[in-house]
Amino acid sequence: MSKARTWKELPKGAVSYRSSRDYKTGDWGVDAPRIDQAKCVKCNLCHMLCPEGCIAVREDGSPEPDLDYCKGCGICAKECPVKAIEMVRK
Amino acid sequence: MAKQELLGLNGNEASAYATKQVNPDVVAAYPITPQTIIVERFSEYVADGLVDTEFVAVESEHSAMSCSVGASAAGARAFTATAANGLALMWEILYIASSLRLPIVMAVANRALSGPINIHNDHSDAMGARDSGWIQIFCENAQEVYDASITAWRIAEHPRVQLPVMVCMDGFTISHTMENVMTLPDDAVKKFVGEREFIRVEGHMGEAELRLDPEAPLTMGPLDLQDFYFEHKIHQVDAMDDALEAIKDVDEEWAKVSGRGYGYAEPYLMGDAEVAVIGMGSAMGTVRHVVDELRQEGVNAGMVKLRLFRPFPAAELKKAVGRVPMLGVMEKCISFGAPASPLMEEIMTAYYHDKEKPMMANYVVGLGGRDVSPAMIREIYGSLLKNRKAGKVSKPMSYIGVRGD
């Protein structure tokens, strides 16, 4: 239970008064990706396929997941062509 | 007061004509008897260039209501119309419209729900939607349909309300029966409805009008779980409470413009009434006729016509009922397995805590469009008089006009 606002203080129409960035949904997941950067070929498939959009690309082209938003679905690991991603318990 | 023109319109045409004068931004509808004439007429207005409306011919009522939700969320005035099974198909979206606080206006030509399939009038469709968070106005005749089809926008868009409104009319009895309807000039209606009002809300990017606008983005309809859903339901409760006052204000304003104000519950010869019938819709005209006859025969009969069902106007209803000792609740709906039909349950609940209250009996009439004749209404008054004399209700629930009952 959020100790936030009473019904009188909430915006009408159930609109969100906070950004989705504030909702750290990463704690929903059980597993999280561990990336072996040595194996990674920087194809960016994981970045493109992540349904949460939580895998960023560093300047050097390597992927960096933000576990605050990763729900642990494992799509990145499944799709990685060089098997550089392994799903591990959070 | 504006100069008015007398037109011959049936209820559907009155709804379409009023909506033409309101000139909403979007009309999305799917044809279903006995509502079809509303959108048929309206599509003619669109074809003739008499309105600026975007007319969306959708593939189902589910889509009609979804389209109205989308349009209204984008800031448009959105109108639709339906009946019976069409309303049933809209079900899940009805709740979304009201919880997102979208002031959509919908005409409902009340019709029996299938099955067995039937196209004629009763109130089972609207009664099924009574918990959907919509305001529900029940009309007695085409004039009331015309008036309600205009005032509904002001009620829906009232800053303290922001809820969708159903304008209910009895299928065929009102929807297809031509009557004299006094209509206001277009500019008077335009002036009365004005522009849609938006409330301001706090969004994730700061304060904004409650509508979708790329310049001031809002998230509408997000996932709302254990931590906030309950509070948002209380918003709807609060809005319904406020709607009672808003509807009264809008009605009074309309009365100044049109000369016709209605209130929520209209008493007729209730001052000295010993027995009275309360109900909604077209049948109340017949009840008034029977009351006049009974009065001539020396029976102290009265009646109360209820015009608003949601929000339920308990205080005004009690004021209209007054001190009548025996009240019959007449309605065109059954709630299967329930101790009484919906209107009876509401009225009994409203009176439960009161020390002084009338004895009450429930009379279900006219299901599936069966005619509610003066003879049937006389039967109800006869039963009420018998109860009154005996000082107790011998049969709390009766089905009037059923063969074998």
Side-chain angles (χ1 to χ4, degrees):
Chain A
M1 213 52 155
S2 162
K3 56 182 169 197
R5 306 184 176 193
T6 71
W7 68 269
K8 286 179 185 168
E9 296 143 355
L10 285 173
K12 287 181 183 171
V15 300
S16 301
Y17 60 91
R18 283 166 65 181
S19 163
S20 55
R21 280 179 193 281
D22 296 335
Y23 297 101
K24 300 203 169 154
T25 47
D27 60 0
W28 296 11
V30 178
D31 294 340
R34 183 197 286 154
I35 303 179
D36 183 345
Q37 298 287 358
K39 273 194 193 169
C40 173
V41 292
K42 301 176 180 175
C43 70
N44 289 340
L45 258 186
C46 55
H47 160 74
M48 288 186 277
L49 296 174
C50 172
E52 289 295 315
C54 74
I55 302 180
V57 182
R58 296 181 189 131
E59 213 154 288
D60 69 351
S62 61
E64 183 178 5
D66 185 339
L67 298 188
D68 278 350
Y69 305 102
C70 168
K71 294 201 181 82
C73 70
I75 286 175
C76 53
K78 173 89 177 161
E79 296 298 332
C80 178
V82 293
K83 302 278 170 250
I85 305 177
E86 183 194 0
M87 296 304 289
V88 294
R89 277 290 157 102
K90 267 187 179 168
Chain B
M1 212 176 290
K3 195 174 170 325
Q4 300 191 39
E5 189 186 0
L6 178 67
L7 297 178
L9 301 171
N10 63 36
N12 278 344
E13 289 168 337
S15 169
Y17 189 82
T19 308
K20 179 195 84 154
Q21 294 185 308
V22 170
N23 194 8
D25 303 294
V26 174
V27 169
Y30 190 79
I32 184 168
T33 303
Q35 159 280 133
T36 307
I37 300 168
I38 300 176
V39 275
E40 224 171 65
R41 286 289 174 278
F42 198 85
S43 64
E44 287 166 13
Y45 296 141
V46 175
D48 293 345
L50 298 174
V51 287
D52 307 305
T53 310
E54 181 82 24
F55 188 90
V56 190
V58 289
E59 76 276 32
S60 76
E61 288 85 356
H62 190 277
S63 304
M65 186 45 61
S66 299
C67 184
S68 301
V69 162
S72 189
R77 273 192 167 140
F79 174 85
T80 186
T82 194
N85 297 45
L87 182 63
L89 188 53
M90 287 180 177
W91 228 254
E92 58 168 324
I93 316 297
L94 292 179
Y95 284 75
I96 292 169
S98 59
S99 63
L100 297 189
R101 311 296 295 278
L102 301 174
I104 298 162
V105 172
M106 171 161 67
V108 179
N110 296 116
R111 162 185 150 178
L113 282 166
S114 301
I117 194 162
N118 182 301
I119 57 167
H120 289 279
N121 166 243
D122 66 32
H123 289 167
S124 54
D125 53 359
M127 282 298 138
R130 68 190 185 272
D131 294 336
S132 65
W134 284 59
I135 290 168
Q136 293 181 312
I137 298 167
F138 283 80
C139 302
E140 186 194 325
N141 49 44
Q143 182 70 63
E144 286 191 20
V145 172
Y146 173 79
D147 293 331
S149 302
I150 295 164
T151 53
W153 296 96
R154 288 283 306 280
I155 296 163
E157 294 166 6
H158 192 286
R160 289 178 66 194
V161 179
Q162 301 274 310
L163 289 173
V165 177
M166 275 181 214
V167 177
C168 300
M169 70 181 100
D170 289 346
F172 291 106
T173 323
I174 301 177
S175 70
H176 284 58
T177 306
M178 189 179 283
E179 294 182 88
N180 289 341
V181 178
M182 294 301 286
T183 60
L184 268 71
D186 290 358
D187 58 344
V189 173
K190 196 175 164 190
K191 193 172 157 219
F192 183 82
V193 294
E195 295 287 315
R196 177 172 162 187
E197 277 190 84
F198 295 96
I199 56 164
R200 295 189 72 80
V201 292
E202 180 192 349
H204 64 282
M205 307 267 288
E207 206 187 87
E209 285 186 343
L210 180 53
R211 67 190 171 97
L212 296 174
D213 174 8
E215 302 298 320
L218 280 181
T219 301
M220 291 178 80
L223 190 66
D224 195 22
L225 301 178
Q226 294 94 327
D227 49 357
F228 286 117
Y229 180 89
F230 205 162
E231 279 72 21
H232 289 133
K233 292 296 118 181
I234 304 302
H235 277 174
Q236 290 177 249
V237 172
D238 192 47
M240 275 288 182
D241 286 347
D242 286 349
L244 273 180
E245 206 173 310
I247 294 167
K248 209 169 157 212
D249 291 348
V250 173
D251 253 5
E252 280 168 13
E253 208 182 309
W254 180 247
K256 278 185 205 145
V257 179
S258 70
R260 294 181 297 274
Y262 294 102
Y264 310 127
E266 180 196 305
Y268 183 67
L269 302 180
M270 288 298 286
D272 61 346
E274 285 209 38
V275 286
V277 167
I278 186 167
M280 303 190 295
S282 62
M284 298 319 287
T286 319
V287 174
R288 202 179 286 110
H289 168 76
V290 171
V291 166
D292 285 342
E293 285 184 350
L294 289 170
R295 284 277 170 175
Q296 282 183 359
E297 293 161 22
V299 178
N300 283 3
M303 66 159 254
V304 175
K305 180 184 80 181
L306 191 64
R307 190 172 150 267
L308 188 66
F309 188 75
R310 282 287 179 271
F312 194 75
E316 185 141 343
L317 180 148
K318 288 186 203 174
K319 217 171 96 191
V321 168
R323 302 177 69 85
V324 72
M326 183 70 226
L327 183 66
V329 180
M330 188 179 94
E331 55 188 314
K332 294 180 175 179
C333 181
I334 292 179
S335 176
F336 302 108
S341 280
L343 183 57
M344 179 71 166
E345 291 192 337
E346 303 271 334
I347 295 176
M348 288 200 115
T349 305
Y351 273 112
Y352 180 77
H353 296 289
D354 294 6
K355 257 203 177 117
E356 283 195 26
K357 55 194 152 204
M359 292 192 292
M360 285 176 250
N362 199 188
Y363 302 91
V364 171
V365 295
L367 294 192
R370 178 156 303 173
D371 192 27
V372 183
S373 65
M376 287 177 196
I377 294 164
R378 276 176 170 274
E379 189 185 331
I380 293 173
Y381 277 102
S383 153
L384 292 171
L385 284 164
K386 217 169 80 190
N387 288 332
R388 162 76 177 136
K389 207 171 158 195
K392 66 176 172 56
V393 176
S394 57
K395 203 174 168 196
M397 163 71 94
S398 312
Y399 305 96
I400 303 297
V402 174
R403 290 185 297 278
D405 196 55

